[in-house]
Amino acid sequence: AARYMRLARQDGIAGEIEALLLEECLRIIRDSAHVERAAPLFINIGGATLKNIVFMKKLLQFLSGSRHLAPRLVFEIQSGQFKDLQPALLEILRGLGKLGCAVSLDNVETLALDVAELQRFHVRFVKIAASALMPYTRNDKSRAEVMRQKRKLESNGIGVIVGKIEEERTLINLLDFDILYGQGYLFGR
């Protein structure tokens, strides 16, 4: 993706590629519907797909007819794109949530978030980079503030995922925050 997405955006086909990937993920979920206790799948939805109201309505229609698949879907959206969504698309997201789908916000810059708004759109995860939390590991007061924000999110059903954990030293520093979910090259490419 690092090599071709820039060219795809340039040629105006990024939305088509995103839609194909999403359709393939939905096929995989449908084909594995018989698996008991199957893990949810996080599917990135890029800006081009999000803004394609026709595609998003088709997605809503598809999941309306396949409600048993919806709880296994977590749509990952860039935090900045989520903030800029038009009301019609926010309603589609809300509809997906009512069917059982969840949303994960990627590239969150702070844990001081509006919990009520996140719940309204069925946000179940927020992903923040390890580098955004590292400055708060230096003193007890700032660490306590991050812990308070994290507990508020978690007590309202919103998990915190720390991304871009690349080194063991970073992981050791972050353990003070009682992080339940992490990802990064330290764990595997």
Side-chain angles (χ1 to χ4, degrees):
R3 288 187 231 147
Y4 69 78
M5 280 310 288
R6 183 180 55 79
L7 295 172
R9 281 188 210 95
Q10 225 174 329
D11 291 345
I13 59 170
E16 293 171 40
I17 291 172
E18 289 174 1
L20 285 171
L21 286 171
L22 182 54
E23 287 173 15
E24 180 62 12
C25 288
L26 292 173
R27 185 194 63 74
I28 290 168
I29 288 173
R30 187 181 55 240
D31 291 350
S32 66
H34 65 283
V35 177
E36 279 189 49
R37 298 176 44 106
L41 293 177
F42 283 67
I43 301 172
N44 285 305
I45 296 187
T49 302
L50 272 174
K51 292 175 183 164
N52 183 342
I53 199 155
V54 173
F55 179 81
M56 292 301 287
K57 282 183 178 178
K58 283 183 187 175
L59 176 62
L60 187 59
Q61 226 173 12
F62 168 78
L63 288 170
S64 291
S66 305
R67 286 179 181 254
H68 63 289
L69 301 178
R72 291 200 44 220
L73 289 169
V74 181
F75 294 110
E76 190 167 287
I77 300 170
Q78 298 294 317
S79 178
Q81 292 172 342
F82 178 76
K83 292 175 189 173
D84 295 337
L85 284 178
Q86 300 296 321
L89 288 168
L90 285 171
E91 284 307 310
I92 290 173
L93 268 185
R94 191 182 309 216
L96 289 170
K98 286 179 181 175
L99 292 173
C101 299
V103 173
S104 175
L105 292 185
D106 196 6
N107 291 331
V108 171
E109 295 174 359
T110 177
L111 296 181
L113 299 164
D114 181 346
V115 172
E117 180 183 30
L118 297 179
Q119 288 178 321
R120 190 168 40 255
F121 296 105
H122 304 275
V123 174
R124 296 293 172 256
F125 297 93
V126 293
K127 190 187 298 185
I128 188 167
S131 59
L133 291 179
M134 289 304 290
Y136 300 101
T137 62
R138 296 191 182 107
N139 70 61
D140 290 340
K141 185 178 178 183
S142 61
R143 189 177 309 112
E145 179 59 23
V146 169
M147 285 298 295
R148 186 188 66 73
Q149 293 166 348
K150 178 184 162 289
R151 277 194 293 273
K152 181 179 178 185
L153 289 166
E154 290 174 341
S155 67
N156 285 284
I158 301 168
V160 175
I161 302 169
V162 179
K164 299 181 182 170
I165 301 173
E166 314 294 305
E167 301 172 359
E168 194 170 325
R169 183 179 69 238
T170 303
L171 177 61
I172 290 168
N173 287 327
L174 293 172
L175 288 176
D176 287 341
F177 292 124
D178 295 327
I179 301 298
L180 299 177
Y181 306 103
Q183 76 180 107
Y185 288 153
L186 178 65
F187 307 115
R189 291 192 180 257

